[in-house]
Amino acid sequence: MKRAGVVKKRCGCRDPQTGKQLGDRCPQLRVYLKDRKGQPKLDRSGQPQWRWNSGHGAWWARYSAPPGPDGKRRQPWLGPFDTEDEASKALRKALTVLDEGGIAPDRSLTFGDYLDQWLKGKKSLKDSTLASYVETVELYGKPGLGYLKLAEVNDQHLSQLYTAIGQINNLPERARPSEMLRRLLAARALAPKLRLEDGEMPGLKRKKPLSVSRIHRIHRVLSSALGTAAKTKKIPHNPAQYVELPRLPKRRPLVWTAERIARWKETGRVPGKVMVWTPELCGRFLDVAEERGERLYSLYHLAATRGLRRGEVCGARWEDTDLSDSKSLSLLESDDEDDDGLKSDPSWRTVALDDTNIRLLKAWRAAQRRERLAAGADWIDTGLIYTAEDGSALREEYVSERFAAIVKAAGLPPIRFHDLRHCAATLMLAAGVDMKVVSATLGHARYSFTADVYTSVVPEVSRAAAEATAAIIPRKRTQ
């Protein structure tokens, strides 16, 4: 069925009596022509001659669309456009989409209202991830672009938003902030007063400019929201896929060498954001954890040797383990990020288990059964491998806090819990494990990332590569 539409020039002027918009009835839209004597020019039919006032109003197109979910008739507007030709082209494109079985965008829905709707469908996310989504929406998405209609959001709007985000705490002196930056700063000022469903948003203490990786994380959340809008046919496509983001800096892990440790002890300064222990330092950490009788010792051993992310090890379930036949652990990859800002698509991966980890897991399971008997009716059956003493899920922050306490007690140079993944990678490479196997074990999104980051990390691996390279060069025998 062919659909019809109309192109009109309209403005936002209002009738002083009723307060309603005049639309295409505004007298300022037309300029009436006069002759040399100041009299109105008339055409052959005796009607006044006129032309469009280029300095007032804009061009819009309107067409009839299929009824919405509520069954009501819809006549969406397209615009504004600078010229009649642009409006006509947009109208023809919209009508073609409808004739080919497409959808008409809902131009009454704002981007801010849509983000609120989208968040309501994200209740299955873990608390920390949901909190980061809410923060992105409340601090950046809604104050930056929430006033726009969802169907109007494009890649340029998103680029402008990310530029403004990059200017937070980073605006040159005497430079005037843009209107978008003003809205973002106002939202941050009000952040501690926002009441969220899971409590109060913590105050924002950050005084440094937002990092490039932070902008990438914000983009991923907004892109996910717009991707859902495209899949549910609220918009024809996801405009976020066309945005060119600032390039992420490569963060190669630095090894805690003896020289760096000595300097750290003198100054307290950590030389890099991503640090990794040598096999000796990792062994010392595990020794201290075991000697202290650390309840989560087997968790730390598993993370340090198999490279599990925090979300993965805290979410691992007994039903996905095989400690006798295949000797493996299947993991639903978490949404925790790696240091390249990338993560693989959510999927299952299987990690092989060595005899030591199997022994530790069996001992942990026996200890967990004793805790279950002690808890009695108060036991919470989550099916998780690592739990609190009542069977409930471990708080991920607690796992990191206990890790930091052991590191401090052992007098070791500091690393994050997440950096145990890097320790696992360096241990595997030092043991001669193939790089592709290392990449698959860690669940990296790209093999090239694994090779790029870890080839030069462990001194043992570097020395072995240097010796192998020198050995293949033909040389004359010398004394």
Side-chain angles (χ1 to χ4, degrees):
M1 179 182 70
K2 292 292 183 181
R3 302 178 185 274
V6 63
V7 173
K8 294 183 178 182
K9 193 169 189 183
R10 309 173 74 244
C11 70
C13 297
R14 295 184 179 274
D15 188 317
Q17 302 297 328
T18 64
K20 295 182 178 180
Q21 283 194 359
L22 294 172
D24 59 349
R25 296 180 291 106
C26 179
Q28 298 183 58
L29 291 173
R30 295 171 178 83
V31 177
Y32 288 89
L33 306 180
K34 295 182 179 181
D35 58 20
R36 293 180 180 179
K37 295 182 180 181
Q39 298 299 318
K41 277 188 176 183
L42 303 178
D43 58 19
R44 292 181 179 179
S45 63
Q47 297 296 321
Q49 295 184 26
W50 58 272
R51 61 175 173 79
W52 291 112
N53 183 358
S54 60
H56 191 78
W59 288 95
W60 294 77
R62 195 177 194 183
Y63 61 98
S64 296
D70 56 1
K72 293 183 179 180
R73 178 187 178 191
R74 291 195 297 157
Q75 288 185 303
W77 285 98
L78 301 174
F81 301 99
D82 293 331
T83 66
E84 183 178 10
D85 185 55
E86 291 177 353
S88 298
K89 288 181 179 179
L91 175 60
R92 289 195 297 270
K93 183 177 179 180
L95 294 177
T96 300
V97 170
L98 288 179
D99 290 338
E100 294 177 352
I103 51 93
D106 182 0
R107 293 192 168 268
S108 65
L109 179 63
T110 66
F111 186 46
D113 290 340
Y114 167 71
L115 287 175
D116 288 335
Q117 295 176 11
W118 177 72
L119 278 177
K120 291 181 180 178
K122 293 294 179 182
K123 297 303 182 182
S124 60
L125 295 174
K126 63 183 183 182
D127 292 343
S128 60
T129 303
L130 180 59
S132 69
Y133 279 29
V134 171
E135 181 179 315
T136 294
V137 168
E138 296 295 338
L139 294 185
Y140 308 108
K142 289 171 65 175
L145 303 176
Y147 68 96
L148 292 172
K149 303 299 183 184
L150 173 63
E152 296 174 355
V153 176
N154 58 39
D155 57 319
Q156 292 183 352
H157 292 134
L158 293 168
S159 295
Q160 292 168 3
L161 173 63
Y162 302 147
T163 298
I165 292 173
Q167 293 173 341
I168 294 175
N169 298 328
N170 194 34
L171 192 67
E173 291 186 11
R174 299 182 180 179
R176 298 183 63 182
S178 64
E179 183 59 34
M180 182 177 292
L181 179 56
R182 292 177 190 273
R183 294 196 300 270
L184 296 179
L185 294 176
R188 293 172 73 81
L190 294 173
K193 300 179 182 179
L194 292 176
R195 296 295 302 179
L196 307 179
E197 291 187 8
D198 57 347
E200 192 171 70
M201 179 178 284
L204 299 173
K205 301 178 181 180
R206 180 191 297 272
K207 295 299 181 183
K208 296 181 180 179
L210 271 68
S211 65
V212 174
S213 61
R214 177 65 174 155
I215 294 175
H216 276 249
R217 289 196 292 271
I218 293 170
H219 172 72
R220 280 196 293 274
V221 175
L222 297 182
S223 179
S224 176
L226 290 167
T228 300
K231 290 177 182 177
T232 55
K233 300 186 181 302
K234 289 182 174 63
I235 54 177
H237 64 275
N238 180 1
Q241 61 186 327
Y242 306 114
V243 177
E244 185 173 348
L245 296 171
R247 188 170 184 177
L248 277 170
K250 291 185 178 180
R251 291 183 179 177
R252 291 186 175 87
L254 295 178
V255 179
W256 274 114
T257 60
E259 293 78 8
R260 287 173 178 151
I261 294 175
R263 184 64 176 167
W264 164 70
K265 289 181 177 179
E266 291 176 3
T267 65
R269 187 180 67 85
V270 178
K273 290 188 176 181
V274 182
M275 302 301 298
V276 63
W277 287 330
T278 61
E280 290 76 16
L281 293 174
C282 187
R284 190 190 308 174
F285 164 78
L286 293 175
D287 287 341
V288 172
E290 187 175 25
E291 292 167 0
R292 287 165 56 92
E294 172 59 42
R295 180 174 177 272
L296 299 179
Y297 166 67
S298 66
L299 181 153
Y300 296 126
H301 189 283
L302 184 63
T305 55
R306 295 284 78 194
L308 274 61
R309 300 177 177 93
R310 187 178 66 174
E312 293 170 345
V313 72
C314 290
R317 308 179 70 85
W318 283 117
E319 64 190 51
D320 300 321
T321 62
D322 185 347
L323 303 183
S324 57
D325 296 329
S326 63
K327 297 182 179 181
S328 62
L329 170 62
S330 295
L331 300 165
L332 180 60
E333 293 184 327
S334 76
D335 49 17
D336 295 337
E337 296 172 6
D338 287 315
D339 291 295
D340 62 342
L342 297 174
K343 56 185 178 184
S344 55
D345 294 331
S347 60
W348 289 87
R349 85 174 190 275
T350 300
V351 176
L353 298 175
D354 56 277
D355 290 341
T356 301
N357 275 311
I358 290 176
R359 175 176 55 81
L360 291 174
L361 282 169
K362 288 181 177 180
W364 169 261
R365 183 165 57 185
Q368 190 181 62
R369 287 171 176 168
R370 291 193 293 271
E371 290 178 345
R372 180 169 187 166
L373 290 174
D378 295 330
W379 179 261
I380 302 172
D381 189 6
T382 59
L384 297 172
I385 296 177
Y386 293 105
T387 61
E389 294 181 0
D390 63 352
S392 61
L394 285 173
R395 187 170 58 89
E396 294 185 15
E397 290 76 11
Y398 172 77
V399 174
S400 294
E401 291 164 2
R402 290 298 311 143
F403 172 77
I406 300 170
V407 172
K408 185 176 181 180
L412 291 167
I415 67 170
R416 305 167 301 168
F417 177 85
H418 185 78
D419 294 331
L420 285 179
R421 280 172 57 77
H422 303 310
C423 291
T426 55
L427 288 170
M428 285 186 276
L429 290 171
V433 178
D434 184 84
M435 186 69 73
K436 290 184 178 180
V437 176
V438 175
S439 182
T441 301
L442 296 178
H444 279 157
R446 297 183 319 209
Y447 162 73
S448 59
F449 168 71
T450 314
D452 183 46
V453 171
Y454 293 112
T455 299
S456 60
V457 169
V458 179
E460 290 86 343
V461 176
S462 300
R463 286 198 296 270
E467 293 293 341
T469 301
I472 66 172
I473 301 175
R475 299 296 304 277
K476 291 183 179 179
R477 290 185 176 275
T478 59
Q479 296 295 326

